Amino acid sequence: GNSVTQMEGPVTLSEEAFLTINCTYTATGYPSLFWYVQYPGEGLQLLLKATKADDKGSNKGFEATYRKETTSFHLEKGSVQVSDSAVYFCALSDRGNAGKSTFGDGTTLTVKP
Amino acid sequence: EAQVTQNPRYLITVTGKKLTVTCSQNMNHEYMSWYRQDPGLGLRQIYYSMNVEVTDKGDVPEGYKVSRKEKRNFPLILESPSPNQTSLYFCASSKWGGTTNEKLFFGSGTQLSVL
């Protein structure tokens, strides 16, 4: 079956530090990949996505590149802010298994001023 | 405003007492899905629906039922809740054009405690 593995958290950074959250996946088909963000007390919202190999998704200064050769979709941001504190989920949807989606365990990021 | 609305936001109940968590979306989305979020386990898919009267099991369907009689509504039913169903539940929806590229819109969540 499909699976998503995220780096374990929590992650604590100082403001303006560089952020990387690792995500690797296993899929039987050719998945679309997503990063979702969950702010305290809220539902998840899409941060960025990529639908084919070498695509780069980007939004709000965050980036992730779909690497088929390493089955990875690492999330990066050059300079984090306190407002980026949230839980980040890597996820995949498998076109061969329409309708099913698989999420990672989530990584909690805390940014300190 | 485009949104997915879940009710209730918080629910405390006792073992065996049937309950329904409602989910409604106003975006005319074909696809809807239920997830549970547990510490250390991330989000796990319970059931999903690709259109009216079309539902299918996710990864953890045991103990849950769903129905999709109307496009906008996708209630989650716990016929006989047990303490291991204590969790944070999310409903989500998206367009469905035959691909899995569309983003999911999530509700705000329902925190369920089964005593």
Side-chain angles (χ1 to χ4, degrees):
Chain A
N2 297 335
S3 67
V4 174
T5 302
Q6 288 182 233
M7 67 183 285
E8 290 188 18
V11 175
T12 302
L13 296 173
S14 297
E15 208 164 22
E16 299 184 4
F18 184 84
L19 169 71
T20 299
I21 300 178
N22 289 339
C23 171
T24 57
Y25 67 89
T26 303
T28 53
Y30 193 174
S32 297
L33 301 174
F34 305 83
W35 276 100
Y36 284 86
V37 59
Q38 182 182 32
Y39 298 104
E42 298 182 10
L44 283 73
Q45 51 187 280
L46 181 70
L47 182 59
L48 53 84
K49 71 176 187 181
T51 58
K52 61 183 189 296
D54 300 325
D55 263 4
K56 178 187 280 189
S58 61
N59 185 27
K60 300 181 182 179
F62 291 89
E63 293 183 339
T65 300
Y66 190 142
R67 301 282 187 208
K68 192 162 185 267
E69 64 277 12
T70 54
T71 61
S72 64
F73 193 55
H74 305 320
L75 182 68
E76 297 182 335
K77 187 175 185 182
S79 176
V80 294
Q81 305 300 313
V82 172
S83 57
D84 293 327
S85 298
V87 182
Y88 293 82
F89 291 90
C90 185
L92 71 82
S93 293
D94 185 353
R95 298 169 206 182
N97 221 348
K100 296 197 79 172
S101 52
T102 304
F103 285 76
D105 292 348
T107 301
T108 300
L109 170 67
T110 302
V111 180
K112 301 196 169 181
Chain B
E1 180 191 352
Q3 59 184 1
V4 177
T5 303
Q6 289 179 233
N7 280 298
R9 188 75 189 265
Y10 302 93
L11 179 58
I12 300 174
T13 189
V14 295
T15 299
K17 186 175 181 183
K18 180 180 178 179
L19 66 91
T20 299
V21 183
T22 63
C23 175
S24 179
Q25 49 92 6
N26 64 359
M27 295 168 278
N28 202 35
H29 284 166
E30 294 82 11
Y31 180 86
M32 298 185 75
S33 184
W34 276 103
Y35 303 85
R36 58 179 289 174
Q37 182 179 14
D38 301 290
L41 296 175
L43 261 74
R44 293 179 290 169
Q45 193 173 29
I46 302 171
Y47 269 96
Y48 60 94
S49 168
M50 288 199 275
N51 216 324
V52 176
E53 302 292 2
V54 180
T55 63
D56 212 341
K57 297 177 181 178
D59 294 320
V60 289
E62 297 78 20
Y64 304 95
K65 283 175 57 177
V66 292
S67 68
R68 188 89 182 274
K69 293 187 171 57
E70 307 165 281
K71 199 171 186 180
R72 62 183 294 126
N73 296 324
F74 191 45
L76 179 70
I77 302 155
L78 285 71
E79 295 268 2
S80 182
S82 62
N84 64 10
Q85 293 178 298
T86 293
S87 187
L88 178 59
Y89 291 86
F90 288 101
C91 179
S93 73
S94 75
K95 291 191 292 184
W96 181 258
T99 74
T100 56
N101 295 344
E102 303 295 337
K103 75 174 188 180
L104 289 165
F105 291 80
F106 281 83
S108 298
T110 296
Q111 180 65 59
L112 171 65
S113 296
V114 183
L115 306 178

